[in-house]
Amino acid sequence: MKLFRRSALRRDTHPLVLAGARRAELRDHQKELQSFQLRLGLMASVILAVFSALLLRLFYVQVIQHDYYHTLAENNRISIVPIVPNRGLILDRNSAVLAHNYAAYTLEITPSKAGKLEGLINELSEVVDITPRDRKRFRKVLDEGHDFSSAPIRTRLSDEEVARFAANKYRFPGVDIRARLFRHYPNGEVASHVLGYMGRINKRDVERLEELGVKPNYAGSDFIGKIGLEGRYEQELHGTTGFEEVETDAGGRAVRTLRSRLPISGNNLLLSLDARLQNVAEQVFGNRRGALIAIEPSTGGILALMSKPGFDPNLFVDGIDPQNWDLLNNSPDHPLNNRALQGVYPPGSTFKPFMALAALELGKRSPGYSIADPGYFSLGGSHRWRDWKQAGHGVVDLHKSIVVSCDTYYYGLAHDMGIDNIHKFVGQFGFGKRTGIDIDGEAGGLLPSEEWKMKRFKQKWYPGDTISVGIGQGYNLATPMQLAQATAVLANRGVVFRPHIVRQIQNSQSGALTSIEPQPIGHVQLASENVQRITDAMVDVLKPGGTAVVAGTGAEYRIAGKTGTAQVIGIKQNERYDERRINERHRDHALFIAYAPADAPTIAVAVLVENGGHGSSSAAPVARKVMDFYLLGKEPKLERTETVVEDSAGD
């Protein structure tokens, strides 16, 4: 056993064995070293690549995209706050203010900075009173909103509410109090369809502003003119938006103002409208439905334009509530409709003076030509068109036909003239086309022709179609504005001016006035003696024997006028019209046109009373009081406004 261990020991410690072991150990070490060096090189390459990428990224961010990230950093530090300009004023011809502005505090939320809105609003309501209506309006503003600015959750805050919120502002990120300008109409409903109203900017408005290229100028603005002068002259009234660059701290609080540009107020509109006359017109019209327009014939300037019933434009200033909107939108009286420009009605007998003038100018009638009126007109014995006076008017010449408003005379005249002659001549006075007044939404009316009927109904024009057109019925339709324009052209001896409401635009900075000069747009060639014959007949309309004698009684100046009655529903041939038995809304419309003083007119008036019955009793007295105030300064005596029902079915 001992021998075995000794021999084994010797074998292990033999020099050759030891040398081989050392060589094997040396070879493993070199291999490991090489492997380590390889791994180290790979690691160094990876590290170098990563650092190179970081350096390249750093270079890209710091050098190539320096401006971009500098802007982002500045935006975090600097806020651009738009400053909404003062909206221009609207004043009447005597500088009476019809629309102006006032400042009030609003509580506004910027959704992008506010987090969860519902919870935020609930917390806000513990500090400032927020009603369900406020919440609903806020949601509506967000739904219809634009990307200009924050949305108001409360408007017109009291001083106490402002102070209470200021003390708790730190709790409400993204909520601020701002001073806003609100529109105010001191006269309420008076001239509401002329002025129009302001409303919140919606998506349709944004699209229109983008098309016009003026969207940046509305940064910070929440409201825009919708209809009337507020809408038509929006770009003049709005002004130029200013801004402030405000440095803020990490909490979003303003530290200092770096620079600013003051806003430029909108320009002021000076109207041809006389607010006192407008107010008188609305008072004497009372609670009836209809329209009135008064024009200065020599310039086309609108002195008064009224549509009844009206509305209070102040309801829209802060966003109209659902209750008031439903009352206005669903009312059977349609107070939002501008009857003066958009309502189309048969002109009735107010059309007759123009027919008579056409007869003289075209040689279809002489002043002395007379007819024997049996109370109807017959065409070939197959059909009769009745006169308003069942027994007829006896012998009627052109002068008397206007004074007593003889239908039979104009049935025959229309038949002899033909529809295209009527269309061509009478169309020169503005019938059948828009007048071009500086308020949007005007209707064109209808003055028929053979070509029109073929295009509209694919039918030829029959002689019988012409008969009713002669007395302003049938296919004949006109707006009150067209009637007033035609009357002004007649008063002006054929010179046609474009009607306008804005007379001057005043620069808000310099105060310089830019006048909108009267714009002649046509001239109807008329023989002066023919115009005088028509005028004399219209003057006699307001004298004994005329249809408007009541309205003309006691006049201190000569009035040239013509009454009219426009049929609303058809009456069978053998029936007699009796408005006592007819629903009020189915009664005839009452019309009256006039100009005065007759020999040198300074005012032309058109009045329409819906379902008023007769122009002589409903419309003419209104026009007389308006002219008395304008020409004499006479304050009207207000009377009952119910429609007078008469036995006569005439004008």
Side-chain angles (χ1 to χ4, degrees), residues 312 522 650:
D312 186 353

Side-chain angles (χ1 to χ4, degrees), residues 353 402 535 537-542 548 559-563 592-595:
I402 294 176
T535 297
M538 292 176 68
V539 168
D540 286 349
V541 167
L542 287 97
I559 305 170
K562 182 68 190 77
T563 56
F592 185 71
I593 60 172
Y595 51 90

Side-chain angles (χ1 to χ4, degrees), residues 72-133:
L72 290 180
E74 285 297 298
N75 287 341
N76 289 332
R77 183 178 69 90
I78 300 173
S79 296
I80 306 296
V81 180
I83 307 174
V84 179
N86 281 321
R87 191 170 180 84
L89 307 179
I90 302 179
L91 305 98
D92 84 333
R93 68 190 297 121
N94 300 308
S95 298
V97 176
L98 302 178
H100 65 97
N101 314 296
Y102 69 93
Y105 290 110
T106 65
L107 187 64
E108 307 197 8
I109 299 176
T110 304
S112 60
K113 299 179 181 179
K116 295 182 178 180
L117 290 178
E118 198 60 38
L120 177 67
I121 294 173
N122 289 335
E123 291 184 33
L124 268 176
S125 63
E126 298 174 1
V127 178
V128 176
D129 183 34
I130 298 176
T131 65
R133 179 195 167 193

Side-chain angles (χ1 to χ4, degrees), residues 557-575:
Y557 50 90
R558 278 174 34 109
I559 305 170
K562 182 68 190 77
T563 56
T565 301
Q567 197 175 69
V568 175
I569 59 172
I571 301 297
K572 294 181 180 180
Q573 185 171 352
N574 296 322
E575 288 184 357

Side-chain angles (χ1 to χ4, degrees), residues 355 377 379 410-419 422 463-464 466-467 470:
M355 286 289 295
F377 174 81
L379 182 62
Y410 290 95
Y411 290 144
L413 175 59
H415 179 259
D416 291 348
M417 287 182 63
I419 190 60
I422 296 173
T466 311
I467 308 303

Side-chain angles (χ1 to χ4, degrees), residues 146-324:
H146 48 75
D147 56 359
F148 289 152
S149 61
S150 54
I153 184 67
R154 260 292 308 279
T155 59
R156 308 182 200 183
L157 298 175
S158 66
D159 292 341
E160 180 183 348
E161 289 175 319
V162 171
R164 195 159 57 239
F165 174 78
N168 291 273
K169 186 182 184 309
Y170 68 93
R171 297 168 48 194
F172 305 108
V175 184
D176 296 284
I177 286 181
R178 295 182 180 175
R180 294 278 188 182
L181 291 172
F182 292 89
R183 202 65 158 167
H184 183 243
Y185 304 91
N187 297 323
E189 288 192 12
V190 176
S192 56
H193 288 94
V194 174
L195 300 174
Y197 60 82
M198 302 283 293
R200 291 194 177 277
I201 296 176
N202 56 34
K203 293 178 181 178
R204 187 184 304 171
D205 295 322
V206 173
E207 292 172 357
R208 188 169 67 252
L209 293 174
E210 288 176 341
E211 291 174 1
L212 295 173
V214 296
K215 179 181 174 184
N217 192 40
Y218 281 76
S221 296
D222 293 318
F223 300 93
I224 194 170
K226 295 290 187 178
I227 64 172
L229 296 178
E230 294 281 22
R232 178 65 176 266
Y233 288 90
E234 169 63 29
Q235 299 308 309
E236 290 285 352
L237 291 165
H238 178 72
T240 303
T241 300
F243 69 88
E244 282 186 343
E245 282 189 2
V246 180
E247 185 176 7
T248 58
D249 59 17
R253 293 179 291 271
V255 175
R256 58 174 176 154
T257 299
L258 300 178
R259 68 187 182 99
S260 64
R261 185 185 70 191
L262 294 177
I264 300 174
S265 298
N267 295 329
N268 301 326
L269 303 183
L270 280 63
L271 311 184
S272 61
L273 198 82
D274 187 328
R276 296 174 302 171
L277 185 68
Q278 178 81 25
N279 191 55
V280 166
E282 303 216 13
Q283 284 182 359
V284 298
F285 212 89
N287 59 7
R288 292 171 288 197
R289 301 180 303 277
L292 179 148
I293 302 99
I295 301 182
E296 189 175 49
S298 60
T299 64
I302 300 296
L303 301 170
L305 190 153
M306 180 206 71
S307 175
K308 294 280 281 185
F311 59 90
D312 186 353
N314 292 300
L315 294 173
F316 294 85
V317 167
D318 193 25
I320 189 168
D321 61 86
Q323 292 77 15
N324 279 313

